[in-house]
């Protein structure tokens, strides 16, 4: 058994806004580093830990985390649409393993995923069906949030599963999301009646016109933010870099003390996407000591994101 990791910020804005040329070149270099790493590693199976942005999961039922036994990408913001190649038997075995270990895992027999889950696969492979992929959703935008300690435990048990049950495979764990950012994702506590209905499930399967309008609102917010118009919370580079330092250290326990309220206050309402990174690193750490082989970070207002990419391998 071997295990490796890629964590990557995603952004729905990659193809819709224009950061300065040197910034765009740095991001592309980071993507190329991830691609080269994965190509050399050549995994048999990808375990993709990602968030959702009220495209597949809504407040009618909002689990803290969920395994997909099957999954289809909705294709928002120009990302690839269609079914993923999900190994249902492994998803089932993982769920039973986690339940036996005290993780009350939700399952979806038809998970719908958005750019937050599939963009790294598309960036790395150019095709979301290039490898068998087991999708794990972690709620990262819809309060209330489970404590980070539980996310770390989920990751550790995922690592135990990989070590015990996938000994004959090369596995790549992807954590997709973060870091500090607060794009214009609605909050249930302040939603208008119309938006509240959308968050309760009415926003599922939008018409093309409604999808375009929603996407354009995000694009416009990004352009305003980059121009210095304070429509969203500023990025938090120091918070981002402290998180990346802790993850690289191999001791994730300091993160247990971070509360959801503090995360939102310091790093923005969508900073909770770092839960995907934490779970991914916890899985790797549960298998053995590791080294971060590559690390990129830069705050990028045009993407409304503290943008990071890392790769890591077992020692």
């Amino acid at each position: 058994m071997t295990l490796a990791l890629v964590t990557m910020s995603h952004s729905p804005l990659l193809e819709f806004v224009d950061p300065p040329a040197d910034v765009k070149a740095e991001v592309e270099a980071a993507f190329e580093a991830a691609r080269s790493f994965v190509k050399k590693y050549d995994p048999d199976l990808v375990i993709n830990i990602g968030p959702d942005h009220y495209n597949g999961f809504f407040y009618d039922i909002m689990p803290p985390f969920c395994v997909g036994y099957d999954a289809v990408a909705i294709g928002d913001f120009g990302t690839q649409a269609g079914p993923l190649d999900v190994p249902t038997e492994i998803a089932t075995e993982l769920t039973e393993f986690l339940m036996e270990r005290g993780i009350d895992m939700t399952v979806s027999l038809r998970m719908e995923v958005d750019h937050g889950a599939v963009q790294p696969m598309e960036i790395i492979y150019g095709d979301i069906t290039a490898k068998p992929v087991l999708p794990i959703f972690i709620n990262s935008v819809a309060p209330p949030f489970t404590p980070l300690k539980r996310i770390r435990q989920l990751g550790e048990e995922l690592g135990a599963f990989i070590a015990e049950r996938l000994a004959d495979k090369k596995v790549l764990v992807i954590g997709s999301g973060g870091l500090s950012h607060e794009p214009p994702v609605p909050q249930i506590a302040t939603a208008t009646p119309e938006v509240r209905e959308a968050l309760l499930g009415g926003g599922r399967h939008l018409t093309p016109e409604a999808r375009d309008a929603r996407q354009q609102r995000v694009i416009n917010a990004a352009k305003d933010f980059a121009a210095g118009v304070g429509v969203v919370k500023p990025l938090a580079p120091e918070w981002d870099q402290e998180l990346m330092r802790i993850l690289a250290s191999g001791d994730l326990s300091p993160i247990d003390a971070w509360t959801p309220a503090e995360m939102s206050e310091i790093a923005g309402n969508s900073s909770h996407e770092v839960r995907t990174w934490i779970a991914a690193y916890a899985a790797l750490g549960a298998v053995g000591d590791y080294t971060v082989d590559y690390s990129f970070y830069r705050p990028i207002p045009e993407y409304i994101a503290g943008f990071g990419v890392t790769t890591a391998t077992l020692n």
Side-chain angles (χ1 to χ4, degrees):
M1 186 276 303
T2 55
L3 177 62
L5 169 150
V6 170
T7 57
M8 181 184 295
S9 299
H10 59 253
S11 174
L13 299 160
L14 289 181
E15 304 299 327
F16 296 94
V17 297
D18 289 312
D22 60 329
V23 175
K24 203 161 187 174
E26 288 182 12
V27 171
E28 181 50 41
F31 289 162
E32 182 54 37
R35 278 192 288 267
S36 297
F37 173 80
V38 173
K39 183 178 180 180
K40 182 178 180 181
Y41 179 59
D42 192 22
D44 304 310
L45 171 70
V46 175
I47 297 178
N48 187 77
I49 307 173
D52 177 71
H53 308 82
Y54 298 115
N55 288 302
F57 290 86
F58 296 82
Y59 266 118
D60 48 357
I61 299 177
M62 181 61 73
F65 24 70
C66 178
V67 171
Y69 285 16
D70 199 353
V72 60
I74 68 163
D76 61 330
F77 286 95
T79 54
Q80 185 178 346
L84 279 64
D85 179 12
V86 179
T88 304
E89 291 184 2
I90 296 177
T92 304
E93 187 177 358
L94 169 63
T95 301
E96 293 171 350
F97 182 93
L98 293 174
M99 299 284 266
E100 291 171 358
R101 299 296 189 96
I103 305 294
D104 295 328
M105 204 69 191
T106 305
V107 300
S108 172
L109 274 60
R110 191 175 61 185
M111 183 186 286
E112 295 190 11
V113 297
D114 67 9
H115 69 277
V118 303
Q119 194 175 70
M121 282 289 291
E122 197 164 0
I123 288 170
I124 291 170
Y125 287 112
D127 182 353
I128 61 176
T129 64
K131 292 283 182 179
V133 57
L134 197 166
I136 298 178
F137 159 79
I138 291 182
N139 173 30
S140 302
V141 300
F145 298 109
T146 195
L148 290 184
K149 182 178 181 179
R150 289 291 288 168
I151 299 298
R152 183 166 63 87
Q153 292 171 340
L154 167 66
E156 290 172 350
E157 296 302 342
L158 173 61
F161 173 80
I162 294 168
E164 292 185 23
R165 304 295 178 86
L166 301 178
D168 60 339
K169 296 185 183 300
K170 295 172 69 177
V171 179
L172 175 71
V173 176
I174 293 178
S176 171
L179 302 159
S180 64
H181 64 310
E182 188 172 284
V185 176
Q187 297 290 301
I188 191 73
T190 56
T192 64
E194 180 182 357
V195 172
R196 181 180 176 85
E197 282 303 309
L199 300 184
L200 284 167
R204 184 179 280 113
H205 303 155
L206 295 174
T207 65
E209 293 76 16
R211 173 72 59 198
D212 287 346
R214 177 178 172 180
Q215 294 179 174
Q216 192 59 52
R217 286 195 294 271
V218 177
I219 294 167
N220 292 343
K223 290 179 177 178
D224 287 345
F225 187 49
V229 178
V231 294
V232 297
K233 184 185 287 292
L235 304 177
E238 292 183 359
W239 186 89
D240 294 338
Q241 290 166 332
E242 174 63 6
L243 172 72
M244 294 176 75
R245 184 195 67 75
I246 293 172
L247 295 176
S249 75
D251 177 12
L252 276 56
S253 61
I255 297 174
D256 290 353
W258 293 15
T259 70
E262 291 170 342
M263 292 172 66
S264 296
E265 176 63 27
I266 297 171
N269 289 330
S270 291
S271 66
H272 299 281
E273 289 183 355
V274 301
R275 292 161 182 271
T276 65
W277 288 44
I278 293 167
Y281 268 96
L284 187 64
V287 175
D289 293 337
Y290 59 80
T291 297
V292 174
D293 305 297
Y294 176 82
S295 183
F296 166 80
Y297 173 75
R298 180 159 186 154
I300 305 177
E302 288 82 359
Y303 295 156
I304 319 181
F307 209 91
V309 177
T310 71
T311 68
T313 50
L314 296 170
N315 294 337

